[in-house]
Amino acid sequence: MTGYRIIAEGRVETARLGLFHLQTEPVRPTDRKVLYLGGSSHDLRLKRGFLDTEITRQAHVASFEPRGLGRSDQPAGAWTMADYAKDALAYLDAIGWDSAFVIGESFGGMTALHLAVLAPKRVEALALLSATAGGDGGSSYDISEFLEMPRDEAIERWMILQNCTLAELKANDRNAFDRLKAARLETDRQFYDPSVASGGYARLLKARRDHDAWEALNTIACPVLVMAGLLDDQAPQLAQRNMAHRLRCAEFLEFPGGHGFGFASPEPMEILCKLWFQLHEVTI
């Protein structure tokens, strides 16, 4: 028994654009609501690790593919991080949620920061996983350069960037490293159509490259958990620490693992639930 059920999966029309989304509800009744904003490759055909976690067992969870990815729309014109925040706000309106706890992973964490600045009353608390604020505090690695490389080379470099221990694995056990790379290349192949082929992914990465929420961080008043993977070189530890220090009400937590640590083991989401719901005086 999973402890949750999917109650919606498909397109939803918002006031701004059509988005492909997924919603779950826990088996045990609760009024807690969590919006999960995924990373720069958040295609719900491929990125479903958040489902089998403590979050879906303890809260209603909603997530969507951002503009440019998967089955969501690709509006005309240049896109900015402000557009992604406005899309998230329009999505909350479309599904009838007045407010939510917000988890933002990587690119989704960048979006979450802009959402918290744009609509502070709609964000009860933030969890930022493998994300940075940009600007003077430090930025995540510009992964748009990988689009210009041969896929084999790009994936190999990206894997090591996201988990620095893989450089040692590559040197000492090439067969094991190549098995991991083959799996990553297959996921990349599935992601390519439509997100990369359409140009939507490149446009998303352009908005990501210009991300800068640094000056606005001290206006965010809700509780924030900044959660970092110790082996992650894509979202530098120093930049994540800087972000936590500048936020008004933040706690900085470190976990073993690389860029995808949040859903690689049960512990991060179990700790997140405990801290969030204790902060809000909810018994779990």
Side-chain angles (χ1 to χ4, degrees):
M1 187 173 185
T2 61
Y4 73 91
R5 49 185 161 257
I6 294 174
I7 59 171
E9 185 169 10
R11 279 181 59 88
V12 60
E13 297 301 322
T14 77
R16 289 175 57 81
L17 77 170
L19 297 168
F20 191 92
H21 81 132
L22 183 151
Q23 283 184 265
T24 69
E25 65 178 9
V27 171
R28 184 177 179 180
T30 179
D31 60 359
R32 305 167 191 153
K33 297 179 176 66
V34 172
L35 173 65
Y36 170 57
L37 301 174
S40 61
S41 58
H42 189 53
D43 180 330
L44 285 165
R45 296 174 303 163
L46 307 170
K47 301 290 185 174
R48 300 173 80 90
F50 68 97
L51 289 175
D52 191 23
T53 68
E54 198 63 23
I55 292 292
T56 52
R57 290 187 280 273
Q58 296 204 34
H60 298 261
V61 176
S63 187
F64 62 88
E65 297 171 352
R67 63 168 64 198
L69 298 190
R71 294 149 289 185
S72 289
D73 287 349
Q74 298 189 26
W79 303 341
T80 67
M81 293 305 304
D83 285 312
Y84 284 95
K86 291 173 184 176
D87 292 349
L89 183 58
Y91 176 68
L92 289 176
D93 290 341
I95 63 174
W97 286 12
D98 293 332
S99 64
F101 295 82
V102 178
I103 299 173
E105 182 182 23
S106 192
F107 173 80
M110 302 176 192
T111 302
L113 286 170
H114 291 272
L115 175 62
V117 173
L118 173 68
K121 293 183 179 179
R122 308 293 291 275
V123 179
E124 296 178 42
L126 275 179
L128 305 171
L129 284 65
S130 304
T132 60
D136 290 342
S139 299
S140 296
Y141 193 90
D142 181 8
I143 58 176
S144 64
E145 69 176 41
F146 295 139
L147 287 177
E148 308 303 320
M149 297 179 187
R151 295 317 299 154
D152 190 79
E153 177 188 354
I155 291 300
E156 190 165 303
R157 290 182 58 180
W158 201 352
M159 287 170 59
I160 293 170
L161 181 70
Q162 292 188 329
N163 186 328
C164 60
T165 64
L166 292 182
E168 182 178 353
L169 181 67
K170 177 184 174 182
N172 296 331
D173 190 343
R174 184 69 202 213
N175 288 337
F177 180 84
D178 283 346
R179 286 193 294 272
L180 293 176
K181 186 171 75 169
R184 181 72 175 262
L185 281 166
E186 174 57 23
T187 300
D188 185 68
R189 184 193 65 77
Q190 295 177 56
F191 177 69
Y192 184 90
D193 188 11
S195 302
V196 180
S198 67
Y201 184 53
R203 296 172 70 191
L204 179 151
L205 293 182
K206 172 61 170 65
R208 178 188 182 277
R209 186 163 63 246
D210 296 334
H211 162 66
D212 184 355
W214 178 253
E215 294 300 327
L217 288 184
N218 58 12
T219 69
I220 297 174
C222 69
V224 183
L225 297 175
V226 177
M227 305 172 70
L230 288 166
L231 308 178
D232 181 10
D233 285 339
Q234 180 171 312
Q237 285 269 316
L238 179 59
Q240 294 188 70
R241 284 185 178 276
N242 289 342
M243 177 172 65
H245 290 157
R246 187 168 176 83
L247 286 159
R248 290 165 59 181
C249 185
E251 184 172 355
F252 182 76
L253 304 174
E254 294 177 322
F255 293 86
H259 196 70
F261 76 90
F263 304 109
S265 70
E267 182 185 21
M269 291 303 104
E270 289 173 355
I271 291 174
L272 186 153
C273 282
K274 184 176 181 180
L275 290 175
W276 262 3
F277 300 140
Q278 282 183 348
L279 280 171
H280 288 71
E281 297 181 352
V282 176
T283 302
I284 64 174

